[in-house]
Amino acid sequence: MSKNKNNKPVWSTRINQKVSSTFQKVGSSLNVDKRLFREDITASIAHVEMLEKQKIITVAVKNKIIWGLKKVLNEIIKKKFSFDERNEDIHMSIEKRLFEILGDDAGFIHTARSRNDQVLTDLKIWLRKSTYEIIDDLNKTMKIFLKCAEKNIYTIMPGLTHLKNAQPISFGHYLVAYIEMFSRDKKRFMNNLENLYENPLGVAAFSGTSFNIDRFYTTKKLKFNKPTGNSIDTVSDRDFVCDFLYSVSLCSIHISRFSEEFIIWNSDAFNMISLNDKIVTGSSIMPQKRNPDPLEYLRGKSGSVIGNLLSMQTILKGLPLSYFKDLQDDKELVFDSFDHLKNCLKILRDVLTNFSPNKKRMLEFSEVGHTTATDLADYIVRDLKYPFRKAYSITAKIVNLAEKKKKRISEMSLDEIRSIDKKIGTEVLNVLKVNNSVKSKSSYGGTSFDNVKKMIKKYKKQIND
Ligand code: ARG
């Protein structure tokens, strides 16, 4: 390879003219993929070690290149490295600097590899690390959810369907619902790891190489589990990118649904929770306002993150095998989604430590809307041995009567209830109390206080394991 002087691209012997300046600007991914510098250098070191072990390069050249790479690494860390977008991407930038440091011997580094397998190797290593980071953040978030749940086992609130009060539930039970979601998110991220542990390095441009390389050696060095099996698929494959983006999307959707609920509950109409100063912002004109902007941010960001997944899928859907420039956008989408999710999980944790449930209001509100009507129907089934449908219809009549009398069913007298069916027992008055309703939902996974306690215990153990 000729000396890489005067900022000429490595292909300048073949392509005499400079690429159009606009394309040079927009076609460069350096500003995005410079984030991969550590992974790129680590993978390059493993690559040259392998080349030397296989006697493709000499020990002297290997040592020289590794020394040079470490110098470059140090320069980047110490911010002494000058990034120049004319070098297109992080791979070319590092190679170019290596030439400046080592001269022609730097050119041995690219034997038996291509940027196509190089970028995939870097990205997979980065995604492995980042996946663990997100799992860690999910654990932290779930622990805070658990703490909140533990404090609110006996906090009764209305459970909603169709945004209408439906049945009373434990607020702790509601919070544990999100622990279930985040546990599934965690599992989803973990499931992605298997593909991230397949080593793309060594498939070169897309058809393999005639050099006697040892892909198992780099696999071990770079802590992969095995080399990828088909060179063409390897450079074309961005399934692992979609998997990551999908996992981020779904996790963001969970965060968004939670945010939406908290926005509603914080509204003056619901007034079920209060937000501390740390998680509200004011209005420029209305001095009294305390707006839940952070929650709205969380809800909004899920949109961008879902968009990133759709962008990647759209880029891929009509793309022939194998490498095309189209694929270069993958990193921007991955980094963007990762950054958003990290921030969102952090903000979510801030929300959880800076709100308080308005317990009195929650309890009061849980009585609104005849929320124990199902309990009444169930009681009639048990007490009078009626089929459920008959009990349902009797209960509906009692609700109608209550409404006529402008009462809640829980406020009805025994006589009033018995005016619909005189066989109903006196126990009914207890059945209509929200506290007893929650307590009674002891079927596996139900909202009874005992169940919630058990679930919290189970998750505490699981998350700390
Ligand atoms: N920066 C490029 C990317 O991220 C690296 C691969 C370039 N390969 C190529 N044949 N132009 O996609």
Side-chain angles (χ1 to χ4, degrees), residues 29 33 88-89 91 115-116 119 323 327-328 331:
S29 60
D33 60 26
E88 209 177 296
D89 55 28
H91 326 292
R115 278 184 299 159
N116 296 351
V119 69
Y323 180 83
L327 293 170
Q328 181 166 280
K331 285 163 292 299

Side-chain angles (χ1 to χ4, degrees), residues 156 166-168 363-364 366-380 382 391 394-396 398-399 401-402 407-418 420 424-441:
I156 295 176
Q167 294 177 340
L363 179 64
E364 212 268 329
S366 73
E367 309 250 3
V368 174
H370 314 293
T371 50
T372 49
T374 318
D375 301 275
L376 176 53
D378 290 350
Y379 171 72
I380 294 172
R382 275 194 295 267
I394 290 170
T395 305
I398 296 172
V399 171
L401 182 64
K407 285 182 175 179
R408 297 173 181 162
I409 45 167
S410 54
E411 292 164 344
M412 298 280 273
S413 70
L414 197 56
D415 286 345
E416 284 169 327
I417 296 171
R418 282 184 173 154
I420 305 293
I424 296 174
T426 49
E427 225 346 75
V428 69
L429 298 178
N430 280 329
V431 167
L432 292 171
K433 293 191 176 121
V434 287
N435 191 64
N436 291 336
S437 164
V438 177
K439 212 195 294 179
S440 73
K441 302 285 178 58

